[in-house]
Amino acid sequence: MAEHKEKTFSNYTLIAIDAALQAGEILRQGYGTQFSITQKVGIHNLVTEFDLLAEKSILSFISKYVPKSQFLAEESGASGETSEILWIIDPLDGTVNFAHQIPVFSVSIALEKKGELFCGVVYQPITHELFVAEKNKGAFLNGKELKVSNVSKLSDSMISLGFPYNLHENPHHCIEHFVDILRLGIPIRRLGSAAIDIAYTAAGRFDGFFEVGLSPWDCAAGILLIEEAGGKVTSWDNRPIHHRAKDPILCTNGKIHTMLSNVLMQNE
Ligand code: IPD
Ligand code: CA
Ligand code: CA
């Protein structure tokens, strides 16, 4: 396995890192080439052959080092042994960007051990940015410790959000909430990879992020990154959230949490 700066990480985290780097290399090689694209349920909910290749590589890499693993992966669903070790995997978060040659996409791998998040890795192959968190050991970006931002006023914040694919059937579609924030004159971005949005919030690039209907593979790694970087993750109405619950999610630096929650709840 590759050498990593954070020598204190457990083997599980090092395995997640190497699996993400390897999958990232596959995506980097495929980026900008000709590849097959198929549509999943919902308009623009795409899958490319590189989603599948990256996922296969992650599953086989992890199975080699941790044979007694259970998996929850976006493309192949649940698989593996019955085990207290559950890997939650998005092999390519930001497929629409990838398919349109927009270099904002990531690999996201989280490990849930005995029901609790143990480590989370988000890797952005084009920028070579590797975000890693391990429970009680902190959050890091390419070896440098991460802290959420210090911004304490909503008016000084930079926010990001995502829109779900199933806008037509999802009542909490984020559009009014997006407009509410725009009307307050607050900068707001939609990057197209929830894992990157959340990792950037952990890194203090964004002060807050919200979306609805995220799947565990979109947010599990990011949730641990935020928590280990000193931020806060709840549902929009400020209740505790579970990384597999699919509740509307709100991630912030903690300081603007209640203010942003109040703005979101105005339209609920
Ligand atoms: C999507 C991205 C996007 C978010 C969607 C996700 P995918 O994941 O994270 O930013 O808005 O809700 O489904 O399909 O690119 O893996
Ligand atoms: Ca995703
Ligand atoms: Ca995906």
Side-chain angles (χ1 to χ4, degrees), residues 40 45-46 51 74-75 90 92-96 161-165 190-195 197 211-214 217-218:
K40 297 201 265 194
N45 190 357
L46 309 177
D51 296 68
E74 177 166 18
E75 308 308 335
D90 193 335
L92 170 43
D93 187 58
T95 299
V96 176
L161 88 163
F163 297 107
Y165 291 118
R190 194 279 201 253
L191 297 185
S193 163
D197 288 311
E211 190 164 348
V212 294
L214 286 184
W217 45 79
D218 299 311

Side-chain angles (χ1 to χ4, degrees), residues 44-94:
H44 288 300
N45 190 357
L46 309 177
V47 60
T48 73
E49 61 186 270
F50 284 97
D51 296 68
L52 304 173
L53 283 171
E55 183 162 311
K56 215 169 150 201
S57 144
I58 296 167
L59 294 189
S60 76
F61 185 89
I62 293 177
S63 303
K64 184 168 145 201
Y65 289 99
V66 192
K68 283 204 169 146
S69 284
Q70 211 179 336
F71 297 102
L72 176 60
E74 177 166 18
E75 308 308 335
S76 54
S79 66
E81 306 266 319
T82 306
S83 160
E84 61 182 27
I85 300 288
L86 172 68
W87 300 91
I88 304 174
I89 298 160
D90 193 335
L92 170 43
D93 187 58

